Amino acid sequence: MRVLLVEDEIEIATPLARALQAQGLEVTVCHDLETAQDALLEREPDLMILDVRLHEHEDGGFMLAREARQAGFTGSILFLTARDALSDRVQGLDDGGDDYVVKPFQLLEVLARVRALLRRTTEAKTNLLRFGALEVDLSRQEVRLSGIRTDLSSREYALLERLVLSPSRIFAPEELLDAVWGDAASSVSVVKVTVYRLREKLGAEVVKSNKNGYQLGLL
Ligand code: CA
């Protein structure tokens, strides 16, 4: 996991960077806004730790967060700030921050926040399954084909989710009926119709079928 630490006070940045490295993280340290902007593009960090007040600008950390989010940065942002006024916290959240640590801080506190944020990033990453051009986002229950969102009904999505979660398995129609419809349908013909619709929306090859049942067709 990559961390970008932006902190203009070397006596704060150095021990914090060492502590993060000791956790097995790859840390890039920047002491000013300009090198931070370059590092953000080059390093594609999973987490940014931003001091709010930088020597170029008193809201430098907030500015950087705003720019990063506008540029599509999806990782976590933790602010380090000496100012704990409520309005600062609100502004930081508006600018795309995820959490705060108020200075002076204990290293252990920062490390605990970092672990929590990175855990969230990992979960978000592993909830995205890719099969060729097909992308299934399990957290948002969204499906994209070649990057374009495809609207599925809740049953269509539920059936597809079953298949992508066990891509090498063949599911008997009765099993899919039970898993997706429960008691709401009694005939396996709804499975057939739903597979037909999935193929119409996502391409004929998305679901394979044989005499034993259905399987994800993309690997
Ligand atoms: Ca500072």
Side-chain angles (χ1 to χ4, degrees):
M1 292 280 212
R2 286 188 294 272
V3 176
L4 176 62
L5 171 61
V6 183
E7 167 62 74
D8 56 359
E9 288 167 75
I10 291 168
E11 56 277 22
I12 294 177
T14 305
L16 179 54
R18 280 207 198 106
L20 293 164
Q21 279 158 350
Q23 305 279 308
L25 299 166
E26 247 181 80
V27 185
T28 304
V29 185
C30 297
H31 301 296
D32 62 75
L33 210 49
E34 205 180 312
T35 46
Q37 284 159 336
D38 293 341
L40 174 63
L41 294 174
E42 278 165 30
R43 305 286 296 156
E44 295 185 0
D46 299 291
L47 167 73
M48 292 203 285
I49 302 177
L50 306 178
D51 180 26
V52 173
R53 186 189 283 264
L54 297 170
H55 59 254
E56 297 110 314
H57 198 285
E58 66 165 16
D59 282 338
F62 290 152
M63 285 166 55
L64 193 58
R66 211 158 46 229
E67 283 173 22
R69 291 297 188 212
Q70 278 164 4
F73 175 71
T74 56
S76 304
I77 298 177
L78 174 68
F79 288 116
L80 304 177
T81 175
R83 301 176 301 172
D84 58 349
L86 184 64
S87 62
D88 281 356
R89 291 170 185 262
V90 171
Q91 188 192 339
L93 292 180
D94 285 348
D95 290 336
D98 297 289
D99 205 355
Y100 273 89
V101 177
V102 175
K103 289 176 174 178
F105 53 76
Q106 301 285 322
L107 275 180
L108 285 178
E109 187 193 354
V110 180
L111 295 179
R113 305 278 181 103
V114 164
R115 272 196 300 277
L117 290 172
L118 288 177
R119 204 178 307 127
R120 237 155 68 188
T121 306
T122 312
E123 282 166 6
K125 276 188 178 169
T126 51
N127 277 337
L128 194 65
L129 300 176
R130 281 199 184 88
F131 302 90
L134 179 73
E135 231 179 43
V136 181
D137 185 337
L138 300 173
S139 345
R140 294 180 176 180
Q141 306 207 331
E142 280 178 13
V143 174
R144 284 179 288 274
L145 190 64
S146 304
I148 297 164
R149 171 127 183 244
T150 307
D151 280 323
L152 300 182
S153 72
S154 57
R155 304 282 196 205
E156 289 161 5
Y157 176 81
L159 198 155
L160 182 68
E161 192 188 61
R162 287 271 145 181
L163 301 183
V164 298
L165 285 174
S166 307
S168 52
R169 251 188 77 188
I170 297 170
F171 290 84
E174 295 76 15
E175 192 185 348
L176 289 172
L177 182 72
D178 193 45
V180 176
W181 282 266
D183 293 326
S186 53
S187 162
V188 290
S189 64
V190 293
V191 177
K192 200 173 169 180
V193 170
T194 305
V195 167
Y196 175 82
R197 293 217 181 98
L198 279 173
R199 285 173 172 156
E200 270 199 320
K201 290 181 177 179
L202 299 169
E205 68 286 355
V206 70
V207 182
K208 276 197 292 198
S209 51
N210 63 29
K211 62 178 170 35
N212 296 319
Y214 299 100
Q215 182 184 9
L216 187 72
L218 307 162
L219 283 175

